[in-house]
Amino acid sequence: MKKIKLLPVWIALFLLEGAMAFSQNNSEKKETKGFALLELYTSEGCSSCPPADELMGRIQNEYKDSNVYVLAYHVDYWDKQGWKDIFSNPDYTKRQYEYAKFLGKEPIYTPQVIVNGKADYIASQETVVRNAIKNALSKPALTNLSLEATQNNNNMGVNYTVEGISKNSELLIAVVQKTAKSNVKRGENAHRVLSHYQIVHHLHTIDLKDKKGTVSMHLPKDFNTNDFEVIGFIQDSKTGSILGVNRADFKASSL
């Protein structure tokens, strides 16, 4: 009969603990690399949108300390239906049409959420959206982005550093209001007070020719670092895929 040599108990325990620590470290690294950028297309004139807005608010609150980011774009094609959305912008409607081409899904609709530029969902379907977030977090980012912002009155300078860019990479920087309420008097949501979250006030696009640079932006007159934040992300201009995302760190102005 062949004899089998047994390892001493203490050696076996040591190896087991080492394997568990290695597994945990790998899991943590994998989690930190994954990200989910949720781009919501919504409108105050759309009766189906308030549940989606509320869901994005809950998600933003739950994931505020992790790599999940929410951007809410208020489109303007509902503005002729009896109520003009105070946050609407035709540029965001244009961006939604661009996604329709990338994804091969027309016509556009609200409430729509696009995750990492790769897949769209009805933004009020909570289980579906949460599963999409988990799936996105399981995949590593293709670029690393760091942003440092300085406010000077109504202007802001953003220093950026990017690792892993390609020839089709663009940097987009969004100025975002974290929360707001609106008293809607007409349209499908007449006589309702709507809550909004992560409202994009401005979206600035930079063609990435260099890994480092600075961009200057004009800020909303009521901008402050408690009620607003700045989110930047790298997008492939040919496919629409989001390659990386981060929030800007604010530093004190030298003036």
Side-chain angles (χ1 to χ4, degrees):
M1 179 181 294
K2 185 177 181 181
K3 293 183 179 180
I4 301 175
K5 292 183 179 181
L6 298 176
L7 290 173
V9 173
W10 69 271
I11 295 179
L13 290 174
F14 177 82
L15 293 174
L16 178 60
E17 289 176 355
M20 292 176 63
F22 179 80
S23 176
Q24 289 174 354
N25 288 337
N26 275 358
S27 177
E28 290 173 358
K29 290 179 180 178
K30 184 176 181 180
E31 184 178 357
T32 56
K33 289 183 179 179
F35 71 91
L37 176 64
L38 280 66
E39 296 183 80
L40 171 69
Y41 291 88
T42 185
S43 173
E44 291 182 344
C46 162
S47 62
S48 301
C49 287
D53 294 331
E54 294 286 353
L55 175 58
M56 294 302 116
R58 293 197 301 273
I59 288 173
Q60 175 66 26
N61 185 59
E62 292 171 23
Y63 286 95
K64 60 184 178 182
D65 297 322
S66 63
N67 292 335
V68 176
Y69 307 82
V70 175
L71 297 176
Y73 304 99
H74 287 239
V75 296
D76 70 338
Y77 49 85
W78 281 94
D79 288 356
K80 298 179 182 179
Q81 305 299 317
W83 176 255
K84 187 181 187 305
D85 188 329
I86 60 173
F87 300 112
S88 66
N89 188 323
D91 289 341
Y92 305 152
T93 300
K94 180 181 178 182
R95 180 168 177 80
Q96 191 179 21
Y97 272 112
E98 290 173 350
Y99 266 129
K101 293 179 180 178
F102 287 138
L103 301 175
K105 293 186 176 182
E106 295 189 52
I108 59 175
Y109 65 93
T110 55
Q112 179 187 41
V113 64
I114 298 171
V115 180
N116 286 0
K118 298 177 181 178
D120 77 304
Y121 308 92
I122 297 174
S124 56
Q125 295 182 345
E126 184 165 357
T127 300
V128 173
V129 172
R130 289 187 180 278
N131 286 337
I133 293 172
K134 292 178 182 178
N135 181 57
L137 289 173
S138 70
K139 301 174 181 178
L142 298 178
T143 65
N144 291 319
L145 171 66
S146 61
L147 301 167
E148 187 177 68
T150 303
Q151 181 183 358
N152 182 14
N153 296 322
N154 289 331
N155 295 307
M156 176 181 66
V158 181
N159 296 324
Y160 61 85
T161 303
V162 186
E163 297 177 2
I165 61 174
S166 66
K167 64 178 181 179
N168 298 324
S169 295
E170 293 180 333
L171 170 62
L172 291 91
I173 299 177
V175 178
V176 182
Q177 183 178 354
K178 296 178 182 178
T179 61
K181 290 186 180 294
S182 181
N183 186 5
V184 178
K185 298 180 180 180
R186 295 179 298 278
E188 291 190 1
N189 290 311
H191 313 301
R192 296 183 63 182
V193 176
L194 302 182
S195 296
H196 304 304
Y197 305 90
Q198 297 299 107
I199 309 151
V200 177
H201 279 255
H202 180 73
L203 188 65
H204 193 88
T205 303
I206 303 102
D207 290 327
L208 285 177
K209 297 179 180 179
D210 301 307
K211 294 182 179 180
K212 294 183 179 182
T214 302
V215 59
S216 298
M217 302 173 62
H218 188 71
L219 295 171
K221 63 180 180 179
D222 54 348
F223 179 91
N224 64 79
T225 54
N226 290 323
D227 299 326
F228 288 76
E229 65 180 354
V230 174
I231 295 175
F233 56 98
I234 308 298
Q235 185 168 32
D236 187 312
S237 62
K238 298 299 182 182
T239 67
S241 296
I242 307 299
L243 309 177
V245 60
N246 207 348
R247 288 184 179 87
D249 293 323
F250 273 83
K251 68 175 184 178
S253 172
S254 59
L255 298 178

